[in-house]
Amino acid sequence: MPEKSVVDVAKAAFKPVDWGQTKILVSPTANGSEHVRVGLTEYDPATPHEPHAHPGQEEVIWVLSGRGYTETHGEKIDLYPGAVAFIPAGMEHKTAAVGEKMQAIIIKGPVRDADGVLS
């Protein structure tokens, strides 16, 4: 069973991703989480991520700053500070910042997708 832990978000390092940068705060590899993955992502407006899906894995996008959108089935839904988007498991989506960087907490669960791949 994992032990409880506290992460100092300011001290956690960002890692580059194709659409900006991200910090993994809670995950199986970071601290032994068995059911949830939490990260802090900064989306770069110049590089939206491609449409993708997470089989068997739900996603929550909680916007802290900046503006953007998440798009599913051709429908864009505006994202702004205080907005929380829920993406059902397996739904194809893409998320992007508009005009400036958008910072969001990303929560996914379970930590393994339908194929058993660790996320």
Side-chain angles (χ1 to χ4, degrees), residues 26-29 32-37 53-58 89-90 108-119:
V26 175
S27 75
T29 54
S33 170
E34 295 177 341
H35 304 285
V36 68
R37 178 180 182 268
H54 307 283
Q57 190 177 58
E58 298 175 327
K108 294 180 183 176
V111 294
R112 293 183 186 273
D113 69 17
D115 297 321
V117 176
L118 199 60
S119 157

Side-chain angles (χ1 to χ4, degrees), residues 48-94:
H49 69 59
E50 295 299 316
H52 65 286
H54 307 283
Q57 190 177 58
E58 298 175 327
E59 179 173 1
V60 173
I61 303 167
W62 182 352
V63 180
L64 302 176
S65 65
R67 294 192 170 273
Y69 64 89
T70 188
E71 183 175 343
T72 57
H73 304 298
E75 178 187 10
K76 286 185 180 179
I77 299 168
D78 290 335
L79 296 175
Y80 47 86
V84 176
F86 169 69
I87 312 297
M91 179 177 279
E92 186 173 277
H93 63 285
K94 73 177 185 178

